[in-house]
Amino acid sequence: MATISPPSVHDNTSGPGFDGDPLVELVRLSTRLDTPRDDIIQSLLEFVRTVCEFDVGLVSHVDGERYLIEFASDPSETIMIGQQFLVSGTYCNHVIETGQPLYLTEAGKTEFARMDCYLLSGFEAFAGVPLMVDGEVYGSFCLGGRKARSQGYSEQATALVEMAGRLIAQHLAHRSAEDRFDLAVRGSQIGLWEWNLRTDEIFWSPRTMELLGVDLPDDQPLTFVMFDQRIHADDHERVMLAINNHLSLREPYDLEYRIQRSDGTWLWVHDRGQASWSSDGRPLRMAGVLDDITYRKQAETALADRAFMLQLAGETAQIGYWHRRAEDDVLVWSDELYALHGVVPGEYDLASDRGLRFCHPDDRDALAAMELETRRSRSPQQLEYRIIRPSGEVRWLNAMYRCQFDAQGQVIAVYGICQDITQRHMADESLRRSQERYRAVVAGGHIGIWDWNAVDDTRYWSPEFLEMLQIPAAEFVPNNSSFRSRVHPDEVDEVVALVEAHLRGEAEFDAQCRMRRNDDTYIWVRLLGQAAFDESGRVSRFTGSVYDITRRKLAADREAEQARMLALSGRAARLGYYEIDLVTETVEFSEGLYALYGLDPQTYTPSMDTIWELTHPADLERSQALREHVIESGEPGFLTRRMLHADGSERLVHTWLECFFDRDGEPARLFGVSQDVTETARIEVQLREQADALKQANAELERYTAMASHDLQEPLRKIATFGDLLERRYADQLDERGREIIHVMTDGASRMRQLISDLLDYTRSSNEAMKYTGVSLNEIVEEVLDRLDLAISDIGANVDCATLPDIRGDRLLLGQLFQNLIGNALKYHDETRPLRVSVSAERAEDESGWMIRVRDNGIGFSPDHAERIFTAFQRLHTRNEYPGTGMGLALCHRIVERHCGRIWAEGEDGKGACFYVYFPDACGRSC
């Protein structure tokens, strides 16, 4: 190959057809801001192949066992872009496996002579370096020649190849990062707008409002005029023409223009939109995306300025170079380098500090270390660092150092080039901040990101997406089947259909579905996505976002359910509501209100006048006064009034009114609820009449009962009295049968008198007014025990009474209650063992009242009779076994019932019984 000589200030010849330093040209080609990255990579490839006199130059991407030709420079067109080859047995494989450059001058004399790479390609000369992107092997940069290179490779040639490899890897990494970020932003639908051509109203998304610095009240509409007034005067005609051509000729709407922010500054935007038309061709709506391209425009402006400087100077824009030879140790700067540092040649003495005074203090150690590494590694080094101009301005420079060595390996000269990359660094920093803001929004808003690279079929789910589904990142590799298996079976076909429609370009991708978490529960998510297509129209990438909308979905379901329940309860309760806009005086009726007044929603138009027409004339003034009071005072109001039904009848209606005010405190809306209580009022009147009649009947019945009782007891008393006289005076004159007849007669009269007395007690307990006072149950029990003292002594019973509470109740009735309960225990005692009776109390479990227990160890009863014993006249034993009328426990039940409580019993034959009485804390109020 031609010898590549080191560059100098005066002599820059290094290859056929090229005059100048190839490293300088390599940097210039790599830093053309107006050129797509793929074109830059292609130009770097062709430049190095030409300068180094190789037949073929390739940039390949390795994927598993194959590699793909992404860029090619082959004048013979033997190797084309897009071709694929097996990696094994190739020069590329050796470069990738070793991770080191490979230089061959005559491959036929090496171990490669037996490999396919030599046999198929016939390359005798080869130079290749690995390409590292994002810390991983991406592929290789290779050069091949069909003739052997007898002179070998100089250090300058290997430096050029390796520097080109690093620059190509950098551009590949930037390209990948830019593609991911661009697709993520597009998939997130940031900066949206919509124009309703029928109403002339415009919708701007929060991001669009933020870009334009717009902060308007929620109730102030946006119009096309507001957008029109913001367009720069120099761009206005072009924008209007593009809109008109899109709406009338359906030409694509895609242009860049300047638009003014609210603070008066100008913003460059890239505006893309799409209209929708009616069946007759009239445009209805237009929607699109607004992107901020101000930084890009600034970079383009800087690029134009730099190109102008290139044209004037005849050199690469903003690139300065220097050299220092070991023989005289004199540092030489080009005029461009002086300009980069903001000084004029001749005014600054380089010998004093060799320019270190300009280097930012924080970067000086790194700059010194780069020069040492250049000497040690014998390969070019690159560094980005800051300088401080005499004016105080800070600039970023990209520096590249390389050394020239003699035959003994001693440094004979050091060369360097510097480029001002301040604008690029600012753009990169702006991109970094934008990415950080985007990631912060994603993390803070609990938004997940997903991405499908259709070229290599790789998929990515962000940590936020995995966290939503409770998926450990270390245990999960996303693929098509894993996504389908996570979507709920009822919705998977619909989601897949939406994806396929979007990938065909037929619809936007916006889906809502349930997705399964690791604990087998489901959450509701919203999936948004945007596909990217290659030049042939095939899908190259599909990226989007996922939102957890479970709470919103559940809230919507609850809201719908509550609305249905409200409508149902409104119909059941005969409720309806209306709303009045106090500014426009418009009125809206609910379906329930139309039904309440018998009106047809299709033919009846509600208004304030019609509301007054529905009001009974006698209640009109009160209704209007209530309305004014609610509006003026801001307090809710209530009114019962008569309304006129469509069938001509009058309805009694409860009406509730409340006024709502705007931000300025002015009345804005009046909300009213009406309930038809006509039937309720009629029933209440009937109930009052029936209650009065029942009260009168009970009073008459009580008087009758008292009179009947008195009339019945008088002859019974005479029967009992004369029976006793017969038994005392004539017992010795009668035989056994006669005495038995007299005994049966007197005993029957006594039982009849007792039965009448019990019936009277039961009647009084049911009908007489209760006299509520504070009652000590301990005092009640003591009085009962005093009255039963003789019976207790006769049978040797032991009655134990614990501390009982004070309650509110009727003292007389409570005395009858405990008299009957304790007396019952004494009556039904077991003669084979001493009787024990206990009376105790405790709070109910729900703290709502007191639970009283009366327990004994008497004869008990079967659990089957636990309810029967409280029924009047129901006895479990004959009169011969145990005397009584069967009214005692029925009376207890009625007394407890009148105290709003409950009574029940538990028992077992031969083992005793326990009676429970519950008195609620509300005892003493009407039950």
Side-chain angles (χ1 to χ4, degrees):
M1 64 175 284
T3 303
I4 301 179
S5 304
S8 66
V9 177
H10 305 290
D11 182 15
N12 290 323
T13 59
S14 55
F18 175 76
D19 294 330
D21 189 328
L23 284 175
V24 174
E25 179 63 15
L26 198 66
V27 173
R28 189 192 71 78
L29 291 173
S30 177
T31 55
R32 292 177 296 164
L33 297 180
D34 60 337
T35 306
R37 292 195 184 276
D38 286 0
D39 293 347
I40 291 176
I41 295 173
Q42 185 68 32
S43 64
L44 292 174
L45 177 62
E46 293 178 353
F47 175 75
V48 176
R49 183 194 65 78
T50 302
V51 170
C52 294
E53 297 183 341
F54 280 93
D55 296 318
V56 176
L58 303 174
V59 173
S60 64
H61 172 49
V62 175
D63 182 12
E65 298 180 353
R66 306 184 70 83
Y67 71 90
L68 170 72
I69 305 300
E70 281 202 23
F71 298 90
S73 176
D74 182 8
S76 68
E77 298 185 352
T78 303
I79 299 178
M80 307 292 291
I81 296 174
Q83 286 183 299
Q84 296 188 28
F85 302 93
L86 290 175
V87 177
S88 61
T90 64
Y91 298 127
C92 178
N93 186 46
H94 181 83
V95 170
I96 292 172
E97 285 187 349
T98 62
Q100 298 294 327
L102 175 64
Y103 298 98
L104 300 174
T105 57
E106 192 171 357
K109 295 181 179 181
T110 67
E111 69 272 16
F112 290 98
R114 297 186 303 274
M115 296 185 180
D116 292 341
C117 57
Y118 177 77
L119 298 174
L120 296 177
S121 69
F123 289 154
E124 288 287 351
F126 178 83
V129 294
L131 298 177
M132 304 297 294
V133 175
D134 296 333
E136 297 181 355
V137 176
Y138 180 87
S140 63
F141 165 53
C142 303
L143 300 165
R146 296 181 177 85
K147 295 181 180 181
R149 306 178 78 91
S150 58
Q151 296 181 2
Y153 297 92
S154 67
E155 293 180 0
Q156 292 83 356
T158 59
L160 184 66
V161 171
E162 292 171 18
M163 181 57 68
R166 284 194 290 271
L167 292 174
I168 289 173
Q170 288 179 5
H171 283 289
L172 289 172
H174 281 297
R175 185 185 68 176
S176 178
E178 289 169 355
D179 289 346
R180 287 196 301 269
F181 180 73
D182 181 62
L183 285 174
V185 171
R186 289 167 57 197
S188 300
Q189 301 186 359
I190 297 174
L192 304 178
W193 57 265
E194 184 180 15
W195 177 25
N196 187 330
L197 279 80
R198 292 175 293 184
T199 64
D200 205 40
E201 290 187 354
I202 284 181
F203 162 78
W204 285 342
S205 71
R207 174 58 178 160
T208 305
M209 302 276 278
E210 178 185 353
L211 286 175
L212 302 182
V214 177
D215 186 12
L216 296 176
D218 295 339
D219 56 350
Q220 181 173 344
L222 294 166
T223 63
F224 184 80
V225 174
M226 300 176 67
F227 162 74
D228 181 80
Q229 293 172 345
R230 290 175 175 266
I231 302 175
H232 195 283
D234 295 342
D235 302 330
H236 188 273
E237 182 178 355
R238 181 167 54 88
V239 174
M240 294 299 108
L241 180 62
I243 294 175
N244 184 66
N245 288 346
H246 179 68
L247 297 178
S248 58
L249 304 179
R250 304 199 179 188
E251 295 180 357
Y253 178 72
D254 187 341
L255 76 163
E256 298 174 358
Y257 57 90
R258 288 159 290 181
I259 191 167
Q260 192 173 37
R261 290 171 49 87
S262 296
D263 60 4
T265 59
W266 292 95
L267 198 71
W268 272 100
V269 295
H270 182 192
D271 197 3
R272 290 156 291 175
Q274 178 63 48
S276 62
W277 291 267
S278 63
S279 58
D280 58 358
R282 290 183 296 105
L284 303 176
R285 292 181 179 272
M286 187 173 176
V289 179
L290 203 67
D291 293 336
D292 182 3
I293 61 170
T294 304
Y295 288 124
R296 197 196 79 196
K297 283 292 184 180
Q298 291 174 348
E300 290 174 354
T301 302
L303 177 63
D305 294 339
R306 200 172 302 166
F308 180 71
M309 292 174 64
L310 280 172
Q311 183 180 359
L312 293 177
E315 298 290 342
T316 54
Q318 299 226 3
I319 295 178
Y321 55 91
W322 60 269
H323 72 266
R324 186 174 70 249
R325 297 187 180 277
E327 58 186 13
D328 54 15
D329 199 29
V330 174
L331 179 65
V332 178
W333 278 15
S334 68
D335 290 345
E336 291 77 19
L337 194 57
Y338 279 106
L340 289 182
H341 287 78
V343 294
V344 178
E347 294 183 359
Y348 172 64
D349 183 12
L350 290 175
S352 60
D353 61 2
R354 297 184 177 180
L356 286 178
R357 72 174 66 178
F358 297 106
C359 184
H360 194 285
D362 294 341
D363 297 338
R364 289 176 183 173
D365 291 343
L367 191 64
M370 183 182 72
E371 183 171 348
L372 292 176
E373 180 63 20
T374 304
R375 295 173 180 268
R376 185 197 65 79
S377 65
R378 303 172 67 90
S379 63
Q381 300 294 318
Q382 184 180 2
L383 176 70
E384 294 182 1
Y385 70 99
R386 291 162 290 180
I387 63 170
I388 303 176
R389 289 179 172 179
S391 64
E393 180 185 6
V394 177
R395 307 291 294 181
W396 278 90
L397 299 184
N398 181 26
M400 193 176 304
Y401 283 17
R402 67 185 177 89
C403 296
Q404 182 181 6
F405 300 88
D406 60 16
Q408 289 74 36
Q410 299 297 317
V411 176
I412 59 176
V414 182
Y415 300 89
I417 59 174
C418 295
Q419 181 189 20
D420 189 331
I421 59 168
T422 304
Q423 291 294 333
R424 195 200 77 192
H425 196 277
M426 290 174 59
D428 289 346
E429 180 64 19
S430 175
L431 177 61
R432 184 188 63 79
R433 288 196 298 267
S434 297
Q435 290 174 329
E436 288 180 352
R437 286 195 297 268
Y438 183 78
R439 284 192 292 267
V441 169
V442 168
H446 302 290
I447 303 171
I449 297 295
W450 50 268
D451 175 53
W452 171 45
N453 187 332
V455 176
D456 56 13
D457 198 31
T458 57
R459 288 170 170 80
Y460 167 77
W461 287 9
S462 71
E464 291 78 16
F465 193 4
L466 297 176
E467 183 180 354
M468 282 184 196
L469 301 180
Q470 299 178 337
I471 301 175
E475 304 174 6
F476 182 73
V477 177
N479 53 52
N480 185 47
S481 61
S482 62
F483 173 77
R484 293 176 66 101
S485 67
R486 292 276 172 176
V487 179
H488 195 282
D490 293 346
E491 289 128 26
V492 64
D493 291 340
E494 180 183 355
V495 173
V496 171
L498 288 173
V499 171
E500 293 174 348
H502 178 70
L503 297 183
R504 291 193 301 269
E506 298 174 357
E508 298 292 330
F509 180 64
D510 186 345
Q512 294 185 12
C513 64
R514 288 166 289 179
M515 294 195 71
R516 180 175 54 82
R517 289 155 48 114
N518 264 18
D519 61 0
D520 290 332
T521 61
Y522 283 88
I523 61 172
W524 276 97
V525 299
R526 182 184 183 190
L527 298 165
L528 298 172
Q530 175 65 49
F533 303 87
D534 59 19
E535 295 178 353
S536 63
R538 291 178 300 181
V539 177
S540 60
R541 210 175 196 99
F542 188 26
T543 302
S545 54
V546 57
Y547 303 79
D548 185 345
I549 60 170
T550 305
R551 291 185 178 178
R552 189 178 73 190
K553 195 74 175 178
L554 294 177
D557 292 343
R558 286 195 297 269
E559 184 177 348
E561 183 179 353
Q562 289 173 355
R564 291 193 298 270
M565 293 177 63
L566 182 61
L568 179 61
S569 61
R571 289 193 297 270
R574 300 183 64 81
L575 286 171
Y577 65 85
Y578 60 91
E579 185 174 358
I580 303 173
D581 188 322
L582 297 175
V583 178
T584 62
E585 287 289 331
T586 57
V587 180
E588 292 184 9
F589 277 11
S590 70
E591 293 183 5
L593 199 62
Y594 280 110
L596 193 149
Y597 294 140
L599 302 173
D600 184 1
Q602 303 300 323
T603 60
Y604 183 81
T605 302
S607 67
M608 284 306 306
D609 292 337
T610 55
I611 287 180
W612 300 136
E613 291 173 359
L614 294 171
T615 305
H616 194 282
D619 297 332
L620 180 60
E621 185 176 347
R622 290 193 307 118
S623 300
Q624 293 175 336
L626 177 67
R627 177 183 185 272
E628 298 303 321
H629 173 74
V630 170
I631 293 175
E632 292 176 3
S633 67
E635 299 175 352
F638 172 77
L639 175 70
T640 299
R641 57 179 174 173
R642 287 162 291 177
M643 301 296 289
L644 302 178
H645 195 270
D647 62 7
S649 62
E650 292 182 6
R651 301 285 180 171
L652 191 64
V653 175
H654 286 338
T655 300
W656 293 265
L657 287 180
E658 186 167 358
C659 185
F660 296 90
F661 299 81
D662 59 21
R663 295 178 178 178
D664 299 327
E666 296 296 325
R669 294 179 298 116
L670 190 66
F671 189 79
V673 177
S674 295
Q675 181 182 22
D676 187 343
V677 295
T678 306
E679 186 65 18
T680 304
R682 184 186 64 78
I683 293 174
E684 287 178 352
V685 171
Q686 289 181 348
L687 288 175
R688 284 196 298 270
E689 293 175 350
Q690 291 174 358
D692 291 342
L694 183 60
K695 185 176 180 181
Q696 183 177 358
N698 284 337
E700 293 177 355
L701 179 60
E702 187 174 349
R703 288 195 298 272
Y704 172 78
T705 301
M707 293 172 58
S709 173
H710 180 271
D711 293 343
L712 285 172
Q713 288 207 40
E714 183 58 29
L716 288 173
R717 192 164 41 250
K718 290 182 178 179
I719 293 173
T721 300
F722 285 105
D724 287 340
L725 288 174
L726 283 173
E727 188 174 12
R728 287 199 304 269
R729 293 183 181 180
Y730 304 105
D732 55 349
Q733 299 178 20
L734 299 174
D735 58 11
E736 186 63 29
R737 178 61 179 165
R739 288 193 295 269
E740 181 181 351
I741 291 172
I742 293 175
H743 175 72
V744 170
M745 178 184 66
T746 56
D747 181 63
S750 297
R751 285 190 289 105
M752 182 60 74
R753 290 180 63 189
Q754 183 62 45
L755 179 61
I756 293 172
S757 176
D758 290 345
L759 285 172
L760 283 175
D761 289 342
Y762 185 81
T763 303
R764 293 192 190 99
S765 69
S766 301
N767 299 324
E768 288 187 357
M770 303 262 299
K771 298 177 182 179
Y772 283 106
T773 61
V775 179
S776 169
L777 295 185
N778 277 109
E779 292 181 0
I780 294 291
V781 173
E782 288 179 4
E783 294 174 0
V784 169
L785 294 179
D786 285 343
R787 292 194 294 270
L788 297 175
D789 181 63
L790 183 59
I792 294 172
S793 299
D794 287 344
I795 63 176
N798 180 18
V799 181
D800 179 39
C801 180
T803 301
L804 304 179
D806 293 345
I807 65 172
R808 284 187 56 79
D810 188 300
R811 187 179 184 86
L812 180 60
L813 293 181
L814 292 174
Q816 287 181 317
L817 171 67
F818 283 96
Q819 175 87 22
N820 287 1
L821 291 177
I822 297 174
N824 218 49
L826 297 176
K827 179 191 298 185
Y828 297 103
H829 69 276
D830 189 338
E831 296 182 353
T832 64
R833 58 176 177 263
L835 176 64
R836 292 195 305 273
V837 181
S838 65
V839 183
S840 61
E842 65 179 18
R843 291 291 290 174
E845 290 183 0
D846 58 0
E847 293 293 329
S848 61
W850 286 97
M851 183 75 69
I852 311 298
R853 292 185 179 88
V854 179
R855 186 185 301 272
D856 66 70
N857 64 340
I859 63 172
F861 58 86
S862 171
D864 296 337
H865 300 147
E867 295 184 5
R868 177 186 172 193
I869 58 178
F870 293 104
T871 305
F873 306 117
Q874 294 297 317
R875 295 170 51 87
L876 303 182
H877 306 278
T878 65
R879 287 191 298 272
N880 293 333
E881 294 177 301
Y882 297 97
T885 62
M887 290 296 296
L889 291 180
L891 179 60
C892 291
H893 185 275
R894 183 56 186 151
I895 292 172
V896 173
E897 189 179 64
R898 294 203 68 188
H899 283 80
C900 310
R902 291 184 297 112
I903 183 171
W904 68 97
E906 296 176 354
E908 187 175 353
D909 278 331
K911 294 186 178 181
C914 182
F915 288 83
Y916 298 89
V917 181
Y918 168 70
F919 290 114
D921 291 336
C923 185
R925 295 193 292 269
S926 176
C927 296

